[in-house]
Amino acid sequence: MILKVYIKRNLFHLPRKQNDLTELIKEKFYKNKTLVKTAFQKLYSITEIENENIVVERNTNIFLLNLYLLVLQEKGELAFTEKVEFNDKVLLQKIEEKTRLNVLNDSIEDIEELVLNHLYPTEQKATKKERLLDTKDTSSRATFDHIDFSIEWIKKAHNKLNE
């Protein structure tokens, strides 16, 4: 079951991969700014969900909602036949109940990591390795041996910029 969730006039289909949702949100709302998932709902709250059985409070975080839907999808329980009301606390309790993880007092980024590690353990380990490889210094010192970096060089560069 795919839920159509609107933030302002922007449509998001949930559940979807958490990284994919993050990229979409960055593209639509945070072009050159830093995305802080914990405070996202304060600036951009969910305005509508196209499902009469789901009611979401104004300041419910879309990232938590997506995590909960991913947990339900993984367990094969993604069907809402009765009316359900969600807010961040309810979502955290339900995530904790379904995954047996202690997530009530963590930030969304930490909760995201815990839940995704729980749902997709091998995939998350691979992405952690990729992130470590991406941050490793692969530059060779030999390529910078010809550069003379000194106070004199800085003075010359400063003078050039002032011209």
Side-chain angles (χ1 to χ4, degrees):
M1 171 187 193
I2 300 289
L3 290 179
K4 293 180 180 179
V5 177
Y6 290 91
I7 297 177
K8 293 189 175 187
R9 293 182 181 155
N10 297 298
L11 170 66
F12 298 94
H13 291 96
L14 301 182
R16 67 178 337 122
K17 287 186 176 181
Q18 199 72 2
N19 293 336
D20 186 31
L21 178 62
T22 302
E23 290 304 314
L24 281 172
I25 298 253
K26 279 183 181 178
E27 180 183 312
K28 302 250 184 210
F29 300 108
Y30 286 86
K31 296 194 187 332
N32 296 324
K33 297 179 269 180
T34 305
L35 169 63
V36 179
K37 293 180 181 181
T38 306
F40 179 76
Q41 74 272 14
K42 293 175 185 167
L43 294 173
Y44 305 102
S45 59
I46 296 172
T47 52
E48 180 186 352
I49 292 183
E50 286 187 8
N51 187 323
E52 61 276 353
N53 290 332
I54 299 175
V55 178
V56 177
E57 283 186 12
R58 180 166 171 75
N59 285 336
T60 303
N61 195 301
I62 192 169
F63 295 105
L64 281 179
L65 179 61
N66 190 55
L67 279 174
Y68 178 61
L69 295 174
L70 285 171
V71 168
L72 288 179
Q73 183 180 40
E74 196 66 25
K75 296 199 173 278
E77 302 172 6
L78 194 58
F80 296 97
T81 55
E82 297 176 10
K83 196 164 200 141
V84 184
E85 290 187 34
F86 290 122
N87 61 31
D88 285 354
K89 282 189 175 187
V90 170
L91 286 169
L92 287 172
Q93 289 170 346
K94 294 209 179 260
I95 289 171
E96 195 169 83
E97 179 184 303
K98 294 287 183 187
T99 62
R100 307 249 190 264
L101 297 170
N102 185 12
V103 296
L104 287 177
N105 297 318
D106 292 335
S107 70
I108 291 179
E109 289 81 0
D110 293 338
I111 294 166
E112 188 176 88
E113 187 173 338
L114 284 170
V115 171
L116 293 178
N117 281 335
H118 177 77
L119 293 176
Y120 318 108
T122 55
E123 185 177 311
Q124 288 306 106
K125 287 178 185 173
T127 57
K128 277 186 183 179
K129 285 180 185 174
E130 290 169 6
R131 276 186 264 151
L132 286 174
L133 289 175
D134 285 346
T135 58
K136 231 181 199 179
D137 183 18
T138 56
S139 63
S140 168
R141 283 280 189 216
T143 58
F144 298 109
D145 285 343
H146 67 281
I147 295 175
D148 179 30
F149 188 76
S150 64
I151 297 296
E152 290 301 314
W153 179 87
I154 291 173
K155 287 179 182 177
K156 286 179 188 175
H158 180 68
N159 289 337
K160 267 188 181 178
L161 289 173
N162 286 336
E163 292 176 353

